[in-house]
Amino acid sequence: MSSAGADVPYAGTDFYCDVAIPHPDCLDVVHEDEHVLAFHHTRPFWAIHIVVVPKRHIASLTTVSDEDEADVRELFGVVQAVARDVELEHGAAAVLTNLGAYQDSKHLHVHVHSGGRRG
């Protein structure tokens, strides 16, 4: 994710810690609790595109350690609920996370999407 919104460029490396988590009021939030934030992507790639992030910084899926277990359990519980809702409403859902060079924002995040790619 490379933008704080359609009109505000973001050039940092952790959009979630820098923008999304401290300012959920600027987002179209789907779910928020003490540990997890889920919101409609600010620059969606698919027709339906929701991002789910742990509020505590975890760099990526491949850096998860024993101390992250509770946060990752909470994260995937929300991913499951969001994916279920998207599947029920739209007939299909996909879940993915990016790693390494594919991961623009260096904070574990999971995409839940459905529908075709946006122009």
Side-chain angles (χ1 to χ4, degrees):
M1 183 177 296
S2 59
S3 173
D7 300 326
V8 182
Y10 175 73
T13 60
D14 188 345
F15 175 83
Y16 306 107
C17 280
D18 296 344
V19 178
I21 294 166
H23 305 288
D25 53 309
C26 297
L27 305 169
D28 184 1
V29 173
V30 172
H31 171 92
E32 183 176 18
D33 63 32
E34 182 181 346
H35 303 284
V36 180
L37 176 66
F39 59 95
H40 288 274
H41 200 297
T42 59
R43 298 184 72 161
F45 189 73
W46 295 280
I48 306 302
H49 190 169
I50 298 168
V51 181
V52 187
V53 300
K55 287 187 172 180
R56 188 172 68 79
H57 182 82
I58 300 171
S60 102
L61 184 65
T62 55
T63 66
V64 169
S65 67
D66 290 345
E67 71 183 42
D68 302 319
E69 181 179 352
D71 292 288
V72 172
R73 284 182 183 275
E74 295 283 339
L75 174 71
F76 282 105
V78 174
V79 167
Q80 181 182 35
V82 168
R84 181 184 305 117
D85 291 346
V86 169
E87 180 185 16
L88 287 171
E89 185 173 344
H90 301 282
V95 175
L96 71 90
T97 191
N98 295 307
L99 303 168
Y102 291 153
Q103 187 181 7
D104 289 340
S105 191
K106 304 306 182 193
H107 185 120
L108 175 61
H109 58 285
V110 178
H111 301 267
V112 177
H113 64 89
S114 186
R117 291 183 177 180
R118 296 181 75 151

